[in-house]
Amino acid sequence: GNSVTQMEGPVTLSEEAFLTINCTYTATGYPSLFWYVQYPGEGLQLLLKATKADDKGSNKGFEATYRKETTSFHLEKGSVQVSDSAVYFCALTNRPQGGSEKLVFGKGTKLTVNP
Amino acid sequence: GAVVSQHPSRVICKSGTSVKIECRSLDFQATTMFWYRQFPKQSLMLMATSNEGSKATYEQGVEKDKFLINHASLTLSTLTVTSAHPEDSSFYICSARRVASETQYFGPGTRLLVL
């Protein structure tokens, strides 16, 4: 079946530090990959996505590259800010033929950025 | 674009009563809406998938008679928690998928507390 594994948190960084949150997946075929962010007390927001191998999704300084050979979609940011403190979820969809897709989420990684 | 709203944002009710949560896509038509439940410090659990004009598809272990879902139009889906009990207390999040798109857009969530 489809599954997503992401690094367990919490992750605590100082402002302007480099961020990597690892995400690997298991899926048949060619899934689409997503990173969602959840700020405290809010719902999820789509951060970035990639729909095919070697695609790079990017938004707000965050990047992730769809690596089929390593089944990974690691999230990176060169210089984090306090406002980036949130929970980050890696997810995939893998629409079965003729069906509607479901998002499969990782467990989430809580990031805290200190000034 | 792609804004999804939920109402109410918070609700407190007595055990045994029913609670209705609305999910609206404000600026796009959503053929499919999804309902999730999120426990503290955990990932989202898909409860059901609803397609406009048809019955919802529930995930294994989710009681369809307890969690009634109606998707009456392309912009509105409702989740009714019937005869709520304290163990139903949770954060309920909906998402909407626009026509011919893989991306799900999430509402801000509804926090339900059953006393």
Side-chain angles (χ1 to χ4, degrees):
Chain A
N2 302 320
S3 66
V4 175
T5 303
Q6 59 182 106
M7 63 185 287
E8 291 191 21
V11 174
T12 303
L13 296 173
S14 297
E15 207 165 21
E16 299 184 2
F18 184 85
L19 168 71
T20 300
I21 300 178
N22 289 339
C23 171
T24 57
Y25 67 90
T26 301
T28 57
Y30 300 91
S32 295
L33 303 174
F34 304 82
W35 277 100
Y36 282 87
V37 58
Q38 185 178 31
Y39 297 102
E42 299 183 15
L44 273 71
Q45 300 176 26
L46 177 64
L47 181 59
L48 53 84
K49 67 177 183 179
T51 58
K52 61 182 187 296
D54 300 324
D55 267 2
K56 177 186 284 188
S58 62
N59 185 27
K60 299 180 181 179
F62 290 89
E63 292 183 342
T65 301
Y66 188 141
R67 301 286 188 200
K68 189 162 179 64
E69 64 275 14
T70 54
T71 61
S72 65
F73 193 55
H74 305 320
L75 182 68
E76 296 182 337
K77 186 173 185 181
S79 176
V80 294
Q81 305 300 313
V82 173
S83 57
D84 294 326
S85 298
V87 180
Y88 293 81
F89 292 93
C90 186
L92 68 82
T93 62
N94 200 9
R95 185 195 293 255
Q97 191 169 8
S100 61
E101 82 281 5
K102 303 175 185 177
L103 264 175
V104 176
F105 285 92
K107 292 186 176 181
T109 303
K110 183 176 182 180
L111 169 66
T112 301
V113 180
N114 295 318
Chain B
V3 177
V4 177
S5 70
Q6 278 184 245
H7 178 79
S9 58
R10 292 175 180 268
V11 57
I12 301 173
C13 69
K14 294 182 179 179
S15 186
T17 61
S18 295
V19 174
K20 179 184 284 189
I21 303 169
E22 291 187 350
C23 177
R24 293 181 185 273
S25 55
L26 297 184
D27 52 0
F28 66 99
Q29 292 186 327
T31 51
T32 305
M33 289 186 170
F34 303 85
W35 286 95
Y36 296 85
R37 184 171 178 177
Q38 185 180 30
F39 293 98
K41 300 183 180 180
Q42 294 189 29
S43 189
L44 281 72
M45 180 192 79
L46 179 65
M47 298 174 66
T49 302
S50 74
N51 292 294
E52 185 265 337
S54 62
K55 290 183 179 180
T57 303
Y58 290 81
E59 295 300 297
Q60 193 171 10
V62 178
E63 299 176 58
K64 62 180 181 181
D65 294 330
K66 180 166 185 63
F67 298 100
L68 300 178
I69 292 172
N70 183 278
H71 192 160
S73 76
L74 285 172
T75 59
L76 173 64
S77 177
T78 60
L79 167 68
T80 301
V81 183
T82 62
S83 187
H85 292 288
E87 57 265 30
D88 298 324
S89 299
S90 192
F91 196 49
Y92 292 88
I93 303 174
C94 74
S95 71
R97 183 176 66 88
R98 47 163 111 226
V99 176
S101 171
E102 283 188 297
T103 303
Q104 292 182 30
Y105 297 92
F106 285 78
T110 296
R111 189 162 300 282
L112 170 64
L113 177 61
V114 184
L115 301 177

